[in-house]
Structures are given as C-alpha cells and as structure tokens.
Amino acid sequence: MVSLRKTVGMGGGSSDKLGSVEGGTVDQFPAGLRVLVVDDDRACLKVLQQMLRKCLYHVTICSQAMDALSLLRERKARFDVVISDVHMPDMDGFKLLELVGLEMDLPVIMMSGDGRTSAVMKGIKHGACDYLIKPVRMEELKNIWQHVVRKNWNDSKDQEYSGSLEETDRQKRGNDDVEHASSANEVTESNWRSQKKKELCRDEEEDGELDNDEPSASKKPRVVWSVELHQQFVSAVNQLGIDQAVPKRILELMNVPGLTRENVASHLQKFRLYLKRMHHGDPHNSYCGPPNSYCGPPSSYCSPIENNHTSKLNSNPPGRLDYQSLAAASGQIQIQIPSQNLATALQAELLGRPPSCNNSSMVRSALEHPNLLQNSMPGGGPKFIPIEHGHHSGDPFNQPSLVKCSSNMSKPLFTQGNINLDSIVSSGYSDCWSSNNFGTDCPASSLSALNNVVPNSNNVIIAQQQQVQNPCVIIPSQSAATYPVPINIPASMNQNSFGRGNCGSTIIDYNTLLSSRTSNNASALCVGQMSDGNFKSSGLLNIGYGSMSGPNIDNNSSSSSSWKICNSGMNINSNHFGSIMGSDMSRGDPEKMLQHGRRNLGFVGGKGGGTCIPTRFAIDDDIDPLAPIDNMNDHQRNMMMMMMGDNSNSIPNNIKQEMDQLELLKSEDPSRGGNPVGNAPPHFPSNDYLSVISN
Amino acid sequence: MEYSRRQLNNIKANLFEQGYLDDQFHQIEELQDDASPNFLQEVVTLFFRDTTRLIDTTEQALKKSPQDFRRLDSIMHQFKGSSSSIGALRVKNECSIFRDHCNQGNIEGCLKSFQKVKKELAILRQKLEAYFKLLNQSESVAVKKADR
C-alpha cells in the first residue's frame, strides 16, 4: 500500500522515490498527470514547469494562449489539466478557460497575481476549477490532481444514469465501488488516470482489481471534444436550433459511436454557457452562427404584458396555438408577447423548424416534461399550474410565463416538435401558464389527446425531460425582456395541492426537488413544484394541448411533452423529474434521476442534505433565478411567476428567503466547473433554507 | 572556495535582509536540481529579459497623452506578477505603488514610481549578477578541484 503522499517526489533537488514498486504505476499516483501551463510570463512559466516536474507531472508550457489552444486541439487526449494565467496579451484567460472547457472538457485552473475576492469569483464563475494566486507555491501545484479526479468522477457519475449505460455499468452499480470513475475504459489511456482512480477507489490498496478491466458503474472515458467532434456537435445544434437542441437529438445527429447522451448533455451545457457569455459581449456574436441558434436578445419577443391581452394572443395564427385562446379565455393573460413573434415561434416549434428566437429555451424547458404532465394527470386532467390571477392582475408581471432557462440551463428536449417555445415563453407566453380560468378552460380532450401521446412518447419525454435541466427553472434568459414582476412564489414547495390559483409550489424547491422526491415535489429543477394530482389545467397545459392536440401531437411528442412539461414544470412529479439530463428516465428511479440530474446540473451537492441547485440554474449571469425576486427584472419575475403559478400578489418572504438561499447555494456550487453564479454574497442559512424548502 | 561559499551566503543573506528578495527566491533555489543545474540563473535571466521589455512598454505608455491608466495598470500587473514569481520583493512593491497611482489617475505619482521600479530593478540585477558570478566561480573551482 502506498500512500499518495509518498508517490509524489517533492522538494528541491530531491527525487523522492516513488514508493515501492509493488503496484507498479499505481504507486506513482498522481505522477504522470499531464499538465499544460499557459502564461505569457516566461519566468513564471519556467518556475511552474519546474515545480510541476518536481510533482512528477508531465508538463508542457506555452506562452501564447492561441498556441495552447492549438496544442490542446491537436493533442486533445494528451492533457489532463490546464493551468492558465488570467492576464495574457493575446487572449483573455477566461476566454481560454471557457474554450477549453467547451471543446476539451478539461479542468482549468486559473492563475493570477490578483488575489482579490472579486477576481477569484470571476474565475469560478467562468468555470475554473481552481484559482491560484501568484506566486504559486509548490504545495498548491501538488494537489491539482484533485481537480482531474473530481471531474472524472463527476463525469462518471453522470454516466451512471445515462440511458446508454452499459451492462457493466449496471453491474457495477451494485458494487460498493459504485460512483468510482472507472478506469476500465481507460486502461488503454493514460495509465495515470487508471492508476489514480483505482488507487483512490481502492483506498490505496493494491489488489487484483487494479488490473481488472471490469468497468465500474460509472466508467466513462472522458470524451475529448476534438475540433471535429465539436464541429459535429455544433452542426447538430444548429440543425436542431440552439433552442431545440436536446442532447438526445444532438447525439443522434452527430452519430458518433461511443458518444453518450451525457457527454453531449454536459457539452451542451458548456456550449450554452459559452454562447451566453458571447452573447453578453455581443448580441450578434453567436458561436455557431445560424440565425436560429442562440443569439440575440429575446427582448423582441417580449413586451410588457398587460392583462387580458387576449387580443394579441388571438392575433396569433389561429389554430396554431390554442393556448392562446385558452390564455385569452383565462382572462389572466400574463404575458404579452408580440403576437407575431409568438406566432412565429410557435409555428416554428410546431412545424419543427428551428426556433426563430432564442427564447425558446424557457418554453422548451417547460415543455420538456411531458412526463410531468402525464403523471400529473391521474385524474385525467393535466396538472396545470394555475397562475394566480390575483397577482397578475394589472401587473406587468405578465411576463413570459416560462422561465426561460438560460441557454445553458435548459436543454430543450424537443427533438421532434422543435417548438420554439422560447419565443413563446419569452413572449409572454405565460398566458398559458397563468390564470386559474385557464385551467378550467383546458379542454379535456386536448389533454387526453396529449395523454395519449404521452405514453408513446414517454421515453422520448423522459429522455427529453432528462435533458431539461431546469424545466421549471424560472430563469429568464438574459435576453428576456424585463417586466415588472411581482412574483408571488408560494413558499411551500411540497405537496400543496395545486389548487386553482394556488400553485403550491415554490420556484426554488430545489431541496425538495432534489432530495425529497416525493411525488409532489418536482424532483428536477422544476421551478414550481406542483402537487401531483392537483394541477389545474393551467394555461400552459392547455396551450400545450391546444396546440399539440393537433396533428403535431403525434408527430411531435416532444412538443407535446414540452407543453406538458410546462405544466409539469409546475407540477413536477418526482418520478418524472428525476433525471435532469440524460439519465434513463425509464428506469424510473426518482432517486437516481435526481442524483443524476443533480450531477448533471452540477448541483451544489450535499448542502443541507441535498439542497442542490443546478448549476445551470445558476449559470445565467443575467438572470439569476435564485436571486431575490426583486432583483430580477420584470421579465424574469414574470417568468418565475408563471412557472410558479402562484396565487398571491407578492412574493412571500419565505420565497425570497429561499431564493436567497438558493442564491447562496448557487454561489457555493463548486461543481460543474464552477459555473455557479455567485451573484450574491453567500448568506445562506442552510437551516432556513431546508426548512423552507421542505415545508 | 570556502571563502567564496561564505561570501556567497553572505551576499544572499544580505539580499534577503534588505528586502530585495523574499522567500519565493528560496523556492526557486530549491527547485534547482541535477536535471536543471542552472535553473535559478535561467529563471532570473528570463525575468530580467521580460522586465526589460516591460520597462520599454511602460515608457511608451507613459509617454502617451492622455495617459491610458488601464493599460499602464495592466503592464504593471504583469510586472508585478513576474517579480513575485522570482521573489523580487522590492521591485514588486514598487509595482504595487505604481498601480495605486494608476488607479488614482495620478500621473505624477506614476512617473515617480516608475523611476523607482527601474531603479530597484537595476539594483537587483546588479546584485544578482554579482551573486551568480561568484556562484559560478565557486562552482567551477569546485569542479576543478573535483577533477584533480
């Protein structure tokens, strides 16, 4: 048995023995870690190189960010971790960080002489898995292997719930060593990784299993996103439309053997983040160009919503979206979307065309949980989220109902319908969500139609659902228009019956979602958690059905699903919502799904026993669903409102509290490459949070 | 040899005591090994090369009018980072002062501070060159001795 400490030779001039040679390479862990260092400061580069060599790592140095990128792209499989300076003349370190994360999915450690909290925060926000302050000491470099291991493990865990899990994975799940990143697949890869994983898994014990090729449950060779692969990914995404691009579909389009949905899902997440950031800087700067891809502010789709703007809705192509009429009927039209936009978006969606706007993510997310709807309709009635009429009345609150998950948050599951719900959502589609009346208007027939569809599309839905990270996340896309939003989010996230006008769900029932998995809890990031049986026909559902019940339903189960998701977003049945991404929903293990989703989402794990906040949730810089409601812009709040379908006129303090807490969780989320947006200083009273959540 | 060894140590101790160098320099010394026998000198050489370049860049930037304080700050940030990497304490401190002046938009302060940076850099260079010269001499003597 060799302790890890012994394996690394440190100290000046001394070459520590790599422990005994009994286990061969195992003893050398974490020796052999392949590090790429990027810094324009040559003296610093040299020092780092020497230090890393002393750590027995394989070091490659690079003084130009562009060179580093080329290196990474060429020899993509050749590095385990990248250390990069923040300030570089040819490229901002953060940009490099994002690109590396996006294309190569490698852990990136940032370095800087600037040790201010804000600078470190920025690094974390951009996804750095660590932030070193110069001058860097050897001790800090010694432990960088942890980031590689952690990432691999997390990736493996994601894989575990993948629908494409192989048998071996299943077997392994039964083992105690489940969750361990298997090195089985990597036997042919760097020994280093195998060694370290095995070593870590085995508690540093050498045993026969070291050479055992039995894959562990979460075996997952890290996918290296080569330029080609990434290009394939990008074309697939463009083909689908950024808003419609769900991992499953992307995977299908890419048609790359060995690539799993999880791989795609996590890559998509990063991609969205990247796009979002690009969008930040330049609304027209879209990563992949196509007009349908994520680009541009959706503000065009959103306009202040006024109550009862049915007229506008009605102006939408008739029949296209019955929801409109439903919404109109509800009298609580919350969201006012330029009808044209809405219509266009909906049309695009229904026709399977790429979304014309990037707001669809939110809608998508809502629609992505057909399961929810399905499940929620035990009584034959879809669970709608009745948006409380009260608080919408007269409020500009009527913002897009669906919280538009930030691009990196939602993974549209629409594989078929390609309903550009984004536009719908952002365009104040909330109509369908809101209003109690709406619920009543929900034509049972449409629902049943949807119901019928649901079973068929179950798998699809599930799969899609899995993809949706935050179906209910009320995260207005950054492009969402702003609306004054007095969001009234019901505090309780649990099993409130989703009575009319009582959403009974809180937007941030992460804890519940993630941990409780009660049928009443949205297990996923569902923003609103609706009691499972009490969905009133929400506008959304109606809409979904309304629109879906047409020919599209059969053809676009996804879209139907999505509609359902909208509702189901409100009423998330944990069974359905278990998996956020790529997990095999059909397995129907809410717990696993939750975990999977949690993992996928880079939840802040472990806090408060599962009060995980999907990092996606937190990723959106502009829109922080977890931020206190009053910090949101109107649009965001409206979306939240819609999602929440709450029934009060103001945001309950407890909700705000929750949101604050979620904010905190978010900011503390170290996972997922550190995407959490720590917009607010942590102030998370975990106890309160949990208590609120588990109300 | 003994004398030069002692001399060397004295010089080094002196540099530390007077704040020209800090512990980072020790770190770099310790990184030197048989595989990289001249590591320390190589790093120091790189440092002076890079900082010479930075000095030029700073001078150019200072001449501009109106002053681009952001750019100046950025250059000094690099300068500072570089200095800290080898443990050039005084130089690093002067860089910080320069940056403070930058933040305040105090061009006069910047100019003064820049002079100090240059001066500290020159002093350090001189001292380290002397140190290395002695070091190399003592080493070559030791080698000669060993050869006998």
Side-chain angles (χ1 to χ4, degrees), chain A residues 160-218:
Chain A
E160 186 172 340
Y161 297 110
S162 161
S164 58
L165 272 180
E166 299 176 16
E167 263 190 36
T168 51
D169 291 342
R170 296 179 203 271
Q171 292 170 9
K172 189 65 184 214
R173 263 199 302 286
N175 299 346
D176 291 340
D177 280 341
V178 79
E179 306 294 319
H180 285 151
S182 166
S183 56
N185 287 346
E186 296 163 317
V187 167
T188 55
E189 289 185 3
S190 156
N191 271 340
W192 189 91
R193 241 176 310 200
S194 308
Q195 292 156 25
K196 72 169 158 56
K197 284 180 186 159
K198 292 192 169 175
E199 175 126 9
L200 293 170
C201 295
R202 275 28 168 206
D203 226 11
E204 303 177 20
E205 281 185 7
E206 305 169 29
D207 55 33
E209 286 186 33
L210 282 178
D211 300 325
N212 188 354
D213 283 354
E214 176 198 9
S216 64
S218 52

Coordinates of all heavy atoms in Angstrom, one line a residue, chain A residues 160-218:
Chain A
E160 N -23.4 7.3 -15.1 CA -24.1 6.2 -14.4 C -25.6 6.1 -14.7 O -26.2 5.1 -14.8 CB -23.9 6.3 -12.9 CG -24.4 5.1 -12.1 CD -24.0 5.2 -10.7 OE1 -23.0 5.9 -10.4 OE2 -24.6 4.6 -9.9
Y161 N -26.1 7.2 -14.8 CA -27.5 7.3 -15.0 C -27.9 7.4 -16.5 O -29.0 7.6 -16.8 CB -28.2 8.4 -14.2 CG -28.0 8.1 -12.8 CD1 -27.1 9.0 -12.0 CD2 -28.6 7.1 -12.1 CE1 -26.9 8.7 -10.7 CE2 -28.4 6.9 -10.8 CZ -27.6 7.7 -10.1 OH -27.4 7.4 -8.8
S162 N -26.9 7.3 -17.2 CA -27.1 7.5 -18.6 C -28.0 6.4 -19.2 O -27.9 5.3 -18.8 CB -25.8 7.6 -19.4 OG -26.0 7.4 -20.7
G163 N -28.8 6.8 -20.1 CA -29.6 5.8 -20.7 C -28.7 4.8 -21.5 O -29.1 3.7 -21.8
S164 N -27.6 5.3 -21.8 CA -26.8 4.4 -22.6 C -25.8 3.6 -21.7 O -24.8 3.2 -22.1 CB -26.0 5.2 -23.6 OG -25.2 6.2 -22.9
L165 N -26.2 3.5 -20.5 CA -25.3 2.8 -19.6 C -25.1 1.4 -20.1 O -26.0 0.7 -20.6 CB -25.9 2.7 -18.2 CG -25.5 3.9 -17.3 CD1 -26.2 3.7 -16.0 CD2 -24.0 3.9 -17.1
E166 N -24.0 0.9 -20.0 CA -23.8 -0.4 -20.5 C -24.0 -1.4 -19.3 O -24.1 -1.0 -18.2 CB -22.4 -0.6 -21.0 CG -22.1 0.4 -22.1 CD -20.7 0.3 -22.6 OE1 -20.0 -0.7 -22.2 OE2 -20.3 1.2 -23.3
E167 N -24.1 -2.6 -19.7 CA -24.4 -3.6 -18.7 C -23.4 -3.5 -17.6 O -23.7 -3.7 -16.4 CB -24.4 -5.0 -19.3 CG -25.7 -5.4 -19.7 CD -25.7 -6.9 -20.1 OE1 -24.9 -7.7 -19.5 OE2 -26.5 -7.3 -21.0
T168 N -22.2 -3.4 -18.0 CA -21.2 -3.4 -16.9 C -21.4 -2.3 -15.9 O -21.2 -2.5 -14.8 CB -19.8 -3.2 -17.6 OG1 -19.9 -2.0 -18.4 CG2 -19.4 -4.4 -18.4
D169 N -21.9 -1.3 -16.4 CA -22.2 -0.2 -15.5 C -23.3 -0.6 -14.5 O -23.2 -0.3 -13.3 CB -22.8 1.0 -16.3 CG -21.6 1.7 -17.1 OD1 -20.5 1.3 -16.8 OD2 -21.9 2.4 -18.0
R170 N -24.3 -1.3 -15.0 CA -25.3 -1.7 -14.2 C -24.8 -2.7 -13.1 O -25.1 -2.6 -11.9 CB -26.4 -2.4 -14.9 CG -27.1 -1.5 -15.9 CD -28.2 -2.2 -16.7 NE -28.4 -1.5 -17.9 CZ -29.3 -0.6 -18.0 NH1 -30.0 -0.2 -17.0 NH2 -29.5 0.0 -19.2
Q171 N -23.9 -3.5 -13.6 CA -23.3 -4.5 -12.6 C -22.6 -3.7 -11.6 O -22.7 -3.9 -10.4 CB -22.3 -5.4 -13.3 CG -23.0 -6.4 -14.3 CD -21.9 -7.0 -15.1 OE1 -20.7 -6.9 -14.9 NE2 -22.3 -7.8 -16.1
K172 N -21.9 -2.8 -12.1 CA -21.0 -2.1 -11.1 C -21.9 -1.3 -10.1 O -21.5 -1.1 -9.0 CB -20.1 -1.1 -11.9 CG -19.1 -0.5 -11.0 CD -18.1 -1.6 -10.5 CE -17.1 -1.0 -9.5 NZ -15.8 -1.6 -9.6
R173 N -23.0 -0.9 -10.6 CA -23.8 -0.1 -9.7 C -24.1 -0.9 -8.4 O -24.3 -0.3 -7.4 CB -25.1 0.3 -10.3 CG -25.0 1.7 -10.9 CD -26.4 2.2 -11.1 NE -27.2 1.4 -12.0 CZ -27.0 1.3 -13.3 NH1 -26.1 2.1 -13.9 NH2 -27.8 0.6 -14.1
G174 N -24.1 -2.1 -8.6 CA -24.4 -2.9 -7.5 C -23.2 -3.1 -6.5 O -23.3 -3.5 -5.4
N175 N -22.1 -2.7 -7.1 CA -20.9 -2.8 -6.2 C -20.8 -1.7 -5.2 O -21.4 -0.7 -5.4 CB -19.7 -2.9 -7.1 CG -19.7 -4.0 -8.0 OD1 -20.5 -4.9 -7.9 ND2 -18.9 -4.0 -9.0
D176 N -20.0 -2.0 -4.4 CA -19.7 -0.9 -3.4 C -19.0 0.2 -4.0 O -19.1 1.4 -3.6 CB -18.9 -1.5 -2.2 CG -19.7 -2.4 -1.4 OD1 -21.0 -2.3 -1.5 OD2 -19.2 -3.2 -0.7
D177 N -18.2 -0.1 -5.0 CA -17.4 0.9 -5.6 C -18.1 1.7 -6.6 O -17.5 2.3 -7.4 CB -16.2 0.2 -6.2 CG -15.1 -0.1 -5.2 OD1 -15.2 0.5 -4.1 OD2 -14.3 -0.9 -5.5
V178 N -19.4 1.7 -6.5 CA -20.1 2.4 -7.5 C -19.7 3.9 -7.3 O -19.2 4.3 -6.3 CB -21.6 2.3 -7.1 CG1 -22.0 3.2 -6.0 CG2 -22.5 2.5 -8.4
E179 N -19.9 4.6 -8.3 CA -19.6 6.0 -8.3 C -18.1 6.3 -8.5 O -17.7 7.4 -8.6 CB -19.9 6.7 -6.9 CG -21.3 6.5 -6.5 CD -22.3 7.2 -7.4 OE1 -22.0 8.3 -7.8 OE2 -23.3 6.6 -7.7
H180 N -17.4 5.2 -8.5 CA -16.0 5.5 -8.8 C -15.7 5.6 -10.2 O -16.2 4.7 -11.0 CB -15.1 4.3 -8.2 CG -15.0 4.5 -6.7 ND1 -14.9 3.4 -5.9 CD2 -15.1 5.5 -5.9 CE1 -14.8 3.8 -4.6 NE2 -15.0 5.1 -4.6
A181 N -15.0 6.5 -10.6 CA -14.8 6.6 -12.0 C -14.0 5.4 -12.4 O -12.9 5.1 -11.9 CB -13.9 7.9 -12.2
S182 N -14.6 4.8 -13.3 CA -13.9 3.5 -13.6 C -12.7 3.8 -14.6 O -12.8 4.7 -15.4 CB -14.9 2.6 -14.3 OG -14.2 1.6 -15.0
S183 N -11.8 3.1 -14.3 CA -10.6 3.3 -15.2 C -10.6 2.2 -16.3 O -9.7 2.1 -17.1 CB -9.4 3.2 -14.4 OG -9.3 2.0 -13.7
A184 N -11.6 1.4 -16.2 CA -11.7 0.3 -17.1 C -11.5 0.7 -18.5 O -10.7 0.1 -19.3 CB -13.0 -0.5 -16.9
N185 N -12.3 1.6 -18.9 CA -12.2 2.1 -20.2 C -11.0 2.8 -20.5 O -10.7 3.1 -21.7 CB -13.4 3.0 -20.6 CG -14.7 2.1 -20.6 OD1 -14.6 0.9 -20.7 ND2 -15.8 2.8 -20.6
E186 N -10.3 3.2 -19.5 CA -9.2 4.0 -19.8 C -7.9 3.2 -19.6 O -6.8 3.8 -19.5 CB -9.2 5.2 -18.8 CG -10.3 6.1 -19.0 CD -10.6 7.0 -17.8 OE1 -10.5 6.4 -16.7 OE2 -10.8 8.1 -18.0
V187 N -8.1 2.0 -19.6 CA -6.9 1.2 -19.4 C -5.9 1.4 -20.5 O -4.7 1.5 -20.4 CB -7.2 -0.3 -19.4 CG1 -6.0 -1.2 -19.5 CG2 -7.9 -0.7 -18.1
T188 N -6.5 1.6 -21.6 CA -5.7 1.9 -22.8 C -5.2 3.3 -22.8 O -4.4 3.7 -23.5 CB -6.4 1.6 -24.1 OG1 -7.6 2.3 -24.1 CG2 -6.7 0.1 -24.2
E189 N -5.9 4.1 -22.0 CA -5.5 5.5 -22.0 C -4.4 5.7 -21.0 O -3.7 4.8 -20.6 CB -6.7 6.4 -21.6 CG -7.7 6.4 -22.6 CD -8.8 7.4 -22.2 OE1 -8.7 8.0 -21.1 OE2 -9.8 7.5 -22.9
S190 N -4.3 6.9 -20.6 CA -3.2 7.2 -19.7 C -3.3 6.3 -18.5 O -4.3 6.2 -17.8 CB -3.3 8.6 -19.3 OG -2.7 8.8 -18.0
N191 N -2.2 5.7 -18.2 CA -2.1 4.9 -17.0 C -2.4 5.7 -15.8 O -2.9 5.3 -14.8 CB -0.7 4.2 -16.9 CG -0.7 2.9 -17.6 OD1 -1.7 2.3 -17.9 ND2 0.5 2.5 -18.0
W192 N -2.0 6.9 -16.0 CA -2.2 7.8 -14.9 C -3.6 7.8 -14.4 O -3.9 7.7 -13.2 CB -1.7 9.2 -15.3 CG -1.7 10.1 -14.1 CD1 -0.6 10.4 -13.4 CD2 -2.7 10.9 -13.6 NE1 -0.9 11.3 -12.4 CE2 -2.2 11.6 -12.5 CE3 -4.1 11.0 -13.9 CZ2 -3.0 12.4 -11.7 CZ3 -4.9 11.9 -13.1 CH2 -4.3 12.6 -12.0
R193 N -4.5 8.0 -15.3 CA -5.9 8.1 -14.8 C -6.3 6.8 -14.2 O -7.0 6.8 -13.2 CB -6.8 8.4 -16.0 CG -7.5 9.7 -15.8 CD -8.2 10.0 -17.0 NE -7.4 9.9 -18.2 CZ -7.7 10.5 -19.4 NH1 -8.7 11.2 -19.4 NH2 -7.0 10.3 -20.4
S194 N -6.0 5.7 -14.8 CA -6.4 4.4 -14.3 C -5.8 4.3 -12.9 O -6.5 4.0 -11.9 CB -5.8 3.3 -15.1 OG -6.2 3.5 -16.4
Q195 N -4.6 4.6 -12.8 CA -3.9 4.4 -11.6 C -4.6 5.3 -10.5 O -4.9 4.8 -9.4 CB -2.5 4.8 -11.7 CG -1.7 3.9 -12.5 CD -0.5 4.6 -13.0 OE1 0.0 5.5 -12.4 NE2 0.1 4.1 -14.1
K196 N -4.8 6.4 -10.8 CA -5.3 7.3 -9.8 C -6.7 6.9 -9.4 O -7.0 6.9 -8.2 CB -5.2 8.8 -10.1 CG -6.2 9.2 -11.2 CD -6.3 10.6 -11.3 CE -6.9 11.1 -12.6 NZ -8.2 10.5 -12.8
K197 N -7.5 6.5 -10.3 CA -8.8 6.2 -10.0 C -8.8 4.9 -9.2 O -9.5 4.8 -8.2 CB -9.6 6.0 -11.3 CG -10.0 7.3 -11.9 CD -10.8 7.1 -13.1 CE -11.0 8.4 -13.8 NZ -11.3 8.2 -15.2
K198 N -8.1 4.0 -9.7 CA -8.1 2.7 -8.9 C -7.5 3.0 -7.5 O -8.0 2.4 -6.6 CB -7.2 1.7 -9.7 CG -7.9 1.4 -11.0 CD -7.3 0.2 -11.7 CE -8.3 -0.3 -12.8 NZ -7.7 -1.3 -13.5
E199 N -6.5 3.7 -7.6 CA -5.9 4.0 -6.2 C -6.9 4.6 -5.3 O -7.1 4.3 -4.2 CB -4.7 4.9 -6.4 CG -4.1 5.3 -5.1 CD -2.6 4.9 -5.1 OE1 -2.1 4.5 -6.1 OE2 -2.0 5.0 -4.0
L200 N -7.5 5.6 -5.8 CA -8.5 6.3 -5.0 C -9.7 5.4 -4.6 O -10.1 5.4 -3.5 CB -9.0 7.5 -5.7 CG -7.9 8.6 -5.9 CD1 -8.4 9.6 -6.8 CD2 -7.5 9.1 -4.6
C201 N -10.1 4.6 -5.6 CA -11.2 3.8 -5.3 C -10.8 2.7 -4.4 O -11.6 2.3 -3.6 CB -11.7 3.2 -6.6 SG -12.3 4.4 -7.8
R202 N -9.7 2.3 -4.5 CA -9.3 1.1 -3.7 C -8.7 1.6 -2.4 O -8.2 0.7 -1.7 CB -8.2 0.3 -4.4 CG -8.6 -0.7 -5.4 CD -9.8 -0.6 -6.1 NE -10.0 -1.5 -7.2 CZ -10.8 -1.2 -8.1 NH1 -11.3 0.0 -8.1 NH2 -11.0 -2.0 -9.1
D203 N -8.8 2.8 -2.1 CA -8.2 3.2 -0.8 C -6.7 2.9 -0.8 O -6.2 2.5 0.2 CB -8.9 2.4 0.3 CG -9.3 3.3 1.4 OD1 -9.3 4.6 1.2 OD2 -9.7 2.9 2.4
E204 N -6.2 3.1 -1.9 CA -4.7 2.9 -2.0 C -4.3 1.5 -1.8 O -3.1 1.2 -1.5 CB -4.0 3.8 -0.9 CG -4.4 5.3 -1.1 CD -3.8 6.1 -0.1 OE1 -2.8 5.7 0.5 OE2 -4.2 7.2 0.2
E205 N -5.2 0.6 -1.8 CA -4.7 -0.7 -1.7 C -4.5 -1.3 -3.1 O -5.3 -1.1 -4.0 CB -5.8 -1.5 -1.0 CG -5.8 -1.3 0.5 CD -6.8 -2.2 1.2 OE1 -7.4 -3.1 0.5 OE2 -7.0 -2.1 2.4
E206 N -3.5 -2.1 -3.1 CA -3.3 -2.8 -4.4 C -4.1 -4.1 -4.3 O -4.0 -4.8 -3.3 CB -1.9 -3.1 -4.6 CG -1.0 -1.8 -4.6 CD 0.4 -2.2 -4.5 OE1 0.7 -3.3 -5.1 OE2 1.3 -1.5 -3.9
D207 N -4.7 -4.3 -5.2 CA -5.4 -5.7 -5.2 C -5.5 -6.1 -6.7 O -5.3 -5.3 -7.6 CB -6.7 -5.7 -4.5 CG -7.6 -4.6 -5.0 OD1 -7.6 -4.3 -6.3 OD2 -8.4 -4.1 -4.3
G208 N -6.0 -7.2 -6.8 CA -6.2 -7.8 -8.1 C -7.0 -6.9 -9.0 O -6.9 -6.9 -10.2
E209 N -7.9 -6.2 -8.4 CA -8.8 -5.4 -9.2 C -8.1 -4.3 -10.0 O -8.6 -3.7 -10.9 CB -9.9 -4.8 -8.4 CG -10.9 -5.8 -7.9 CD -12.0 -5.2 -7.2 OE1 -12.4 -4.1 -7.5 OE2 -12.5 -5.8 -6.2
L210 N -7.0 -4.0 -9.5 CA -6.2 -3.0 -10.2 C -6.1 -3.3 -11.7 O -6.2 -2.4 -12.5 CB -4.9 -2.8 -9.6 CG -4.9 -2.1 -8.3 CD1 -3.5 -2.0 -7.7 CD2 -5.4 -0.7 -8.4
D211 N -5.9 -4.5 -11.9 CA -5.7 -4.8 -13.3 C -7.0 -5.3 -13.9 O -7.1 -5.7 -15.0 CB -4.7 -5.9 -13.5 CG -3.3 -5.4 -13.0 OD1 -3.1 -4.2 -13.1 OD2 -2.6 -6.2 -12.4
N212 N -8.0 -5.3 -13.1 CA -9.3 -5.8 -13.5 C -9.9 -4.8 -14.5 O -10.1 -3.6 -14.2 CB -10.2 -6.0 -12.3 CG -11.4 -6.7 -12.7 OD1 -11.7 -7.0 -13.9 ND2 -12.2 -7.1 -11.7
D213 N -10.3 -5.3 -15.6 CA -10.9 -4.5 -16.5 C -12.4 -4.3 -16.3 O -13.0 -3.7 -17.2 CB -10.6 -5.0 -17.9 CG -9.2 -4.7 -18.4 OD1 -8.5 -4.0 -17.6 OD2 -8.8 -5.2 -19.4
E214 N -12.8 -4.9 -15.3 CA -14.3 -4.7 -15.1 C -14.6 -3.3 -15.0 O -14.1 -2.6 -14.1 CB -14.7 -5.5 -13.9 CG -16.1 -5.3 -13.5 CD -16.4 -5.6 -12.1 OE1 -15.5 -5.9 -11.3 OE2 -17.6 -5.7 -11.7
P215 N -15.4 -2.8 -15.8 CA -15.8 -1.4 -15.7 C -16.6 -1.1 -14.4 O -17.4 -1.9 -14.0 CB -16.6 -1.2 -16.9 CG -17.1 -2.5 -17.3 CD -16.2 -3.5 -16.8
S216 N -16.3 0.0 -13.9 CA -17.1 0.3 -12.7 C -18.4 0.9 -13.2 O -18.6 1.2 -14.4 CB -16.3 1.3 -11.9 OG -16.1 2.5 -12.6
A217 N -19.2 1.1 -12.3 CA -20.5 1.6 -12.7 C -20.4 2.9 -13.5 O -21.1 3.1 -14.4 CB -21.3 1.9 -11.4
S218 N -19.6 3.7 -13.0 CA -19.6 5.0 -13.7 C -18.4 5.1 -14.7 O -17.9 6.2 -14.8 CB -19.5 6.1 -12.7 OG -18.4 5.8 -11.8

